[in-house]
Amino acid sequence: IASLATALDRVEARIVRSGRKVFAAYDHLDRIGSLKHETRRRHIKALLALWLSLSNRYQGLRAKIFLRDDLFDPARLAFPDATKLKPRSIALEWNVEALFQVVVRHLSSFSLEMRTWLSGVEGLTIEDRGEFGWMPGPMSEDVQKNFAIHLVGEQMGSGVKKGYTWRWIPNRLQDAAGKIVPRSILTLIGEAAASALQREFPANSLRLLIPQDLLLALEPTSEQRVAEIREEYPQAGRLENLRTQQVMLDPEKAIELLGRPAPQEEETRGQTDGKLILDELLALGVLSRRKDQRIDVPDIYRYGFGIKRKGGVRRPRRHEFCSETHENESPSALIPLAYALFRLPSIS
């Protein structure tokens, strides 16, 4: 340890002389002992304690440590001076306004025609920020509403199951903790545009999409998010054992199914304690626990894992598409542009 401290001192001196800052970045710490919580807690505590101590010693050499909220809070209370970590931390989250803004930014950066189409959204402002590209201004709930109506219409569905599009979009994309990753909303709009390209579009409609396009886009969007979560957290693959099951699930049933190795899971990694898997997936926001203790699966994961919901909305068929015709509206030729835009690698 003494030799390491001496080496770091020399590195710090060199960095300070050069007038630079060097950051050691740590991510995916939740993969350490993902099913051995004491092991993970011990490692995270040691890492946080180390860099908290070094932060008082070094100015040029610093650390950035990325942790889930549920891992950070217990860890910061586990050693002396841990409470000093909170003022030095920041939460990285996407709220609904920012998610709509990133969609508008992608659209506005594509073409003059698309920016002309966006100018029809009441209250929406777009500014050319030079090297940063076209940037949307603030999008209050009213502006979000106006944008969603301009894009797809006011309502999803009909009768008692109808909902407003500006609420339906984030509600279907959020996990059990209410969080949404920006890739999901971009994938949803891109897949909806792909659906629009495969149907007959009203010649006099200004809107790019209809509600059925979004409904058809839910499944591929969920499959994309499932692929991401399985790559980040292999234990999420246990939800394959819930395929064809119907939520809500009794906790005992969920524990039993999650305790089985998933198809194609390596035997050496097989974990038979379903409760540990359940607790981890609850912490990740992949599952949620209702007040009656039954287990639910958010739509953003449910479709991708083929899990059913009693009374759920039937997936539409393409021949069932219909849309109202609006008089005095310019024909829209922007759907191929929207589809091409959201299929770009930049959405990652």
Side-chain angles (χ1 to χ4, degrees), residues 16 98 126 139 172 186 189 227 249 260 303 334:
V16 171
I126 305 172
M139 291 186 67
R172 292 302 179 277
L186 295 176
I189 302 301
L249 280 172
R260 303 174 187 172
Y303 283 88
L334 297 179

Side-chain angles (χ1 to χ4, degrees), residues 235-309:
Q235 59 269 34
R238 289 295 180 92
L239 263 71
E240 282 291 347
N241 296 333
L242 274 60
R243 190 173 291 274
T244 73
Q245 295 290 319
Q246 180 177 288
V247 290
M248 308 303 175
L249 280 172
D250 291 331
E252 295 79 10
K253 179 69 171 178
I255 290 172
E256 178 203 343
L257 293 172
L258 294 174
R260 303 174 187 172
Q264 300 180 340
E265 183 175 338
E266 298 177 16
E267 290 296 330
T268 55
R269 291 172 52 191
Q271 169 59 250
T272 57
D273 192 337
K275 187 177 185 307
L276 282 177
I277 301 285
L278 175 62
D279 290 344
E280 189 68 11
L281 295 180
L282 288 169
L284 288 171
V286 177
L287 299 177
S288 65
R289 193 191 300 273
R290 293 300 181 98
K291 290 182 179 179
D292 61 5
Q293 300 303 305
R294 290 186 300 168
I295 304 302
D296 194 9
V297 184
D299 287 345
I300 190 61
Y301 299 118
R302 185 174 63 83
Y303 283 88
F305 280 110
I307 301 169
K308 302 176 182 179
R309 182 184 300 283

Side-chain angles (χ1 to χ4, degrees), residues 104-106 108-109 115 126-130 132-136:
V104 171
R105 184 183 180 190
H106 273 259
S108 61
S109 66
R115 290 192 292 276
I126 305 172
E127 178 186 1
D128 185 359
R129 297 283 296 276
F132 297 105
W134 291 89
M135 303 289 288

Side-chain angles (χ1 to χ4, degrees), residues 137-155:
M139 291 186 67
S140 65
E141 187 172 345
D142 285 340
V143 179
Q144 296 168 30
K145 172 182 175 180
N146 295 337
F147 171 71
I149 292 174
H150 194 61
L151 177 69
V152 70
E154 183 176 9
Q155 293 181 344

Side-chain angles (χ1 to χ4, degrees), residues 42-292:
R42 188 169 65 250
H43 281 76
I44 291 176
K45 181 183 75 170
L47 182 67
L48 292 174
L50 168 68
W51 280 106
L52 182 61
S53 173
L54 294 180
S55 68
N56 298 321
R57 183 183 182 94
Y58 299 141
Q59 295 300 314
L61 182 60
R62 315 293 284 185
K64 289 184 182 292
I65 301 174
F66 297 88
L67 280 174
R68 294 196 330 241
D69 288 343
D70 61 297
L71 300 180
F72 176 67
D73 288 338
R76 70 186 176 90
L77 300 175
F79 58 89
D81 293 331
T83 53
K84 296 179 181 178
L85 290 171
K86 191 65 174 179
R88 304 184 185 200
S89 68
I90 186 170
L92 302 178
E93 295 181 355
W94 286 78
N95 58 29
V96 174
E97 179 183 12
L99 291 166
F100 275 105
Q101 283 176 314
V102 78
V103 172
V104 171
R105 184 183 180 190
H106 273 259
L107 289 171
S108 61
S109 66
F110 195 66
S111 69
L112 174 61
E113 290 82 4
M114 192 66 79
R115 290 192 292 276
T116 301
W117 179 83
L118 286 168
S119 68
V121 179
E122 184 180 354
L124 179 64
T125 60
I126 305 172
E127 178 186 1
D128 185 359
R129 297 283 296 276
E131 62 179 311
F132 297 105
W134 291 89
M135 303 289 288
M139 291 186 67
S140 65
E141 187 172 345
D142 285 340
V143 179
Q144 296 168 30
K145 172 182 175 180
N146 295 337
F147 171 71
I149 292 174
H150 194 61
L151 177 69
V152 70
E154 183 176 9
Q155 293 181 344
M156 298 287 298
S158 60
V160 296
K161 293 184 179 180
K162 70 181 180 182
Y164 295 111
T165 51
W166 60 94
R167 294 175 183 165
W168 185 92
I169 292 173
N171 287 345
R172 292 302 179 277
L173 299 178
Q174 64 186 5
D175 66 11
K179 297 180 180 179
I180 304 172
V181 296
R183 190 195 304 263
S184 291
I185 194 169
L186 295 176
T187 301
L188 180 75
I189 302 301
E191 293 291 346
S195 171
L197 287 175
Q198 298 180 44
R199 63 173 170 81
E200 184 177 347
F201 199 80
N204 294 323
S205 177
L206 186 63
R207 295 181 181 128
L208 300 185
L209 307 172
I210 61 176
Q212 288 89 339
D213 293 327
L214 289 179
L215 287 170
L216 283 169
L218 263 182
E219 187 170 334
T221 301
S222 178
E223 290 172 348
Q224 173 67 34
R225 183 59 188 143
V226 162
E228 294 166 2
I229 199 72
R230 292 183 69 160
E231 182 177 335
E232 294 178 22
Y233 307 104
Q235 59 269 34
R238 289 295 180 92
L239 263 71
E240 282 291 347
N241 296 333
L242 274 60
R243 190 173 291 274
T244 73
Q245 295 290 319
Q246 180 177 288
V247 290
M248 308 303 175
L249 280 172
D250 291 331
E252 295 79 10
K253 179 69 171 178
I255 290 172
E256 178 203 343
L257 293 172
L258 294 174
R260 303 174 187 172
Q264 300 180 340
E265 183 175 338
E266 298 177 16
E267 290 296 330
T268 55
R269 291 172 52 191
Q271 169 59 250
T272 57
D273 192 337
K275 187 177 185 307
L276 282 177
I277 301 285
L278 175 62
D279 290 344
E280 189 68 11
L281 295 180
L282 288 169
L284 288 171
V286 177
L287 299 177
S288 65
R289 193 191 300 273
R290 293 300 181 98
K291 290 182 179 179
D292 61 5

